[in-house]
Amino acid sequence: MISVRKCLAFTILLMMMSVSAMALEVTVLDEDGREAVMTGFEHDGLPAWWAELPEGSAFDGLSVRLSDDSGEPASFTVSLPDAGADYDSGAYAVFSFHEQEIRLFASHLAYAPAADGVRSVRAVGQWARLLTNAQLLARPDAQADVLGTIDSSTRFFLLYTCRNRGTEYACVRVAGQTCFLKSEDVRVLSEATSLNLDARLLSERRSADDVRFARAAYQANIRSAIGTSKDAIIGTVPIDSLLLVLTSVTLDRVVYDLVYVPETAAVGFAHDTQLAALTDAEAAALLADRESGGTDAPRAGATNRAVPLLAYPASDAGIIQSLASGTGVTVYAAVDSPEGRFWLAEAGEQLGYLPDSALTLTGGTPDTQKSLTVQASLEDALYSQRMTVAVREALLYQQPSYTAACAARLSDGAVVTVLAGEAGWLQVSAADQIGWLPAEYVSPVRLGAMEE
């Protein structure tokens, strides 16, 4: 009997909570006092509203009023970003009302439910860990089959992120399987991590079901993202280049392959039609061609001046160690980047990159059989302080608050330089202004990977 009473009390509590949530009203007026058409929905499991502004309304000077039956209303005068037609790629403002977080989108277009299918697919290609115990899903969908569970703090390889029906998912590889987790449970590792760059490790990965070798059948563009309004090209690989396909994703009936480029250690997407599959024998032959003869053959060399050994082929990359003039190195490959030629070289069992002008090749054939690793901060190794806006439009606020004055409006793909961080906000320099952005509205720029 006690159990029945408890269940009844709990049911009544849920009904009261539901009534309270439904009683919440959100009103948005433009500067002329015209009222927006409001639509309530759920976004990432939280209550959200879509404000369809009257034609010709500005996105600045909007009056927002929140009210319910439980207390005094709250009013704000704010600037909101233009969410466009798709809230999966549109920015929003967050308001707290009676201990409840509310997300508010604004647009001149009518509200439309999220399409059934993945959107905003972004390559990652980094190691990550889990913040809490979570379920492994067969596809990026809350209704997907559960493949198993994964414990908190487990490390795994994060392939890419995507959105489906307003929720962001992470595609991960765990124990040789490719599956999905909610992105909110995942954090990319930034502590000291071993980055294995030995090409021979690639041949050991053929046993994985969805990892395969391919060659570029045409000159292929490698992109950091697909399904967004601005797909960033991070590089181009010439015909017959060897690539490792990590997984594939279908977007709008087009198949894209997530590939690893051995020459630059870049991870990104290529059209499946641009790649040709290789048998193990063909892949082994292509690997052998890469590792013998020409300027890419392992050779001996020495620095001709004091120079830092870099963690990525770019001048502003993280520094692994400083080398004195005359330091002997083992040179493995030439890498052409937008900043010129760099050499992948080993110095004192540390692997990194040296600019062509700082290296003198002396010939010879060093031993290449040992495993090569580099110890460096993953964040410093792959990224600088540059980031790009990852939503249709984001506001640069004068203070880290959605109710602060707007300093500038930044479009998708705009490059910003991070100056500081604070509780989910980033202070950045952009558009000749210094201001604050929500951290979730930007994506790190891989060093040496700016658009052509």
Side-chain angles (χ1 to χ4, degrees):
M1 189 66 177
I2 295 176
S3 177
V4 173
R5 288 176 178 172
K6 286 184 177 179
C7 289
L8 181 60
F10 183 67
T11 302
I12 293 173
L13 177 61
L14 287 178
M15 292 176 62
M16 292 176 62
M17 291 174 61
S18 176
V19 171
S20 177
M22 293 179 62
L24 177 63
E25 293 185 2
V26 181
T27 305
V28 176
L29 304 177
D30 68 7
E31 288 185 309
D32 297 326
R34 295 181 295 173
E35 187 171 342
V37 177
M38 305 301 300
T39 304
F41 62 102
E42 186 178 276
H43 186 260
D44 286 347
L46 295 173
W49 271 261
W50 182 276
E52 180 189 347
L53 299 176
E55 184 178 353
S57 292
F59 289 88
D60 297 314
L62 297 174
S63 299
V64 177
R65 186 177 187 273
L66 309 176
S67 62
D68 61 16
D69 299 330
S70 61
E72 290 296 321
S75 298
F76 309 90
T77 300
V78 299
S79 296
L80 295 176
D82 181 0
D86 182 5
Y87 60 72
D88 265 351
S89 60
Y92 54 83
V94 178
F95 300 93
S96 293
F97 184 63
H98 295 171
E99 300 183 352
Q100 180 173 263
E101 182 180 289
I102 298 163
R103 298 182 176 183
L104 179 59
F105 295 78
S107 174
H108 287 132
L109 302 176
Y111 166 81
D116 185 8
V118 296
R119 285 290 181 272
S120 302
V121 186
R122 296 183 180 275
V124 181
Q126 298 182 58
W127 288 97
R129 68 178 178 87
L130 197 63
L131 296 179
T132 183
N133 296 349
Q135 293 180 327
L136 293 170
L137 304 176
R139 63 183 189 278
D141 191 325
Q143 307 302 318
D145 293 337
V146 178
L147 302 178
T149 57
I150 185 170
D151 294 335
S152 174
S153 298
T154 300
R155 293 191 179 194
F156 45 79
F157 195 71
L158 175 53
L159 296 167
Y160 63 85
T161 62
C162 63
R163 298 187 68 85
N164 185 19
R165 298 181 180 179
T167 300
E168 185 174 271
Y169 294 88
C171 180
V172 303
R173 178 165 290 116
V174 180
Q177 281 192 307
T178 299
C179 40
F180 294 87
L181 295 163
K182 286 189 176 181
S183 291
E184 63 187 21
D185 299 329
V186 175
R187 287 294 180 273
V188 175
L189 292 178
S190 59
E191 65 264 24
T193 305
S194 176
L195 305 178
N196 290 306
L197 301 178
D198 185 7
R200 282 172 176 75
L201 293 178
L202 302 182
S203 62
E204 299 172 5
R205 303 177 70 171
R206 296 176 193 164
S207 59
D209 292 338
D210 56 348
V211 176
R212 66 186 189 276
F213 281 105
R215 69 172 178 84
Y218 312 92
Q219 179 171 294
N221 287 330
I222 308 298
R223 299 178 181 273
S224 64
I226 53 177
T228 62
S229 60
K230 193 167 187 176
D231 294 345
I233 298 175
I234 61 175
T236 301
V237 296
I239 187 172
D240 290 333
S241 296
L242 179 69
L243 301 170
L244 187 68
V245 180
L246 302 177
T247 192
S248 297
V249 58
T250 300
L251 185 68
D252 295 333
R253 300 182 182 180
V254 178
V255 179
Y256 298 86
D257 294 321
L258 182 66
V259 300
Y260 169 79
V261 184
E263 278 74 13
T264 61
V267 176
F269 292 99
H271 282 274
D272 181 73
T273 55
Q274 294 180 306
L275 307 184
L278 295 174
T279 65
D280 284 353
E282 291 171 333
L286 200 53
L287 272 173
D289 289 341
R290 290 178 62 253
E291 296 169 1
S292 63
T295 58
D296 289 339
R299 301 173 62 184
T303 58
N304 54 36
R305 56 181 169 84
V307 63
L309 184 67
L310 302 171
Y312 200 80
S315 59
D316 60 346
I319 297 175
I320 297 171
Q321 63 173 308
S322 297
L323 304 181
S325 179
T327 301
V329 297
T330 300
V331 181
Y332 291 96
V335 178
D336 291 319
S337 79
E339 297 185 25
R341 170 161 290 195
F342 286 78
W343 294 90
L344 178 63
E346 181 188 16
E349 299 187 354
Q350 295 286 340
L351 193 67
Y353 295 88
L354 294 171
D356 180 66
S357 61
L359 183 66
T360 300
L361 297 174
T362 58
T365 306
D367 176 22
T368 62
Q369 299 304 312
K370 58 185 175 181
S371 177
L372 303 177
T373 61
V374 54
Q375 296 290 336
S377 164
L378 190 60
E379 187 174 79
D380 291 341
L382 297 181
Y383 297 106
S384 66
Q385 291 301 95
R386 293 175 298 176
M387 293 195 175
T388 56
V389 174
V391 291
R392 172 188 170 88
E393 182 179 76
L395 298 190
L396 188 67
Y397 294 94
Q398 293 183 3
Q399 300 294 330
S401 170
Y402 289 102
T403 58
C406 172
R409 291 180 177 272
L410 304 176
S411 300
D412 179 25
V415 179
V416 302
T417 300
V418 178
L419 306 176
E422 176 183 310
W425 290 80
L426 296 174
Q427 186 185 41
V428 303
S429 172
D432 297 324
Q433 299 275 351
I434 293 179
W436 294 83
L437 283 173
E440 63 183 308
Y441 293 158
V442 293
S443 295
V445 175
R446 190 180 293 269
L447 284 168
M450 295 299 291
E451 285 190 59
E452 295 177 325

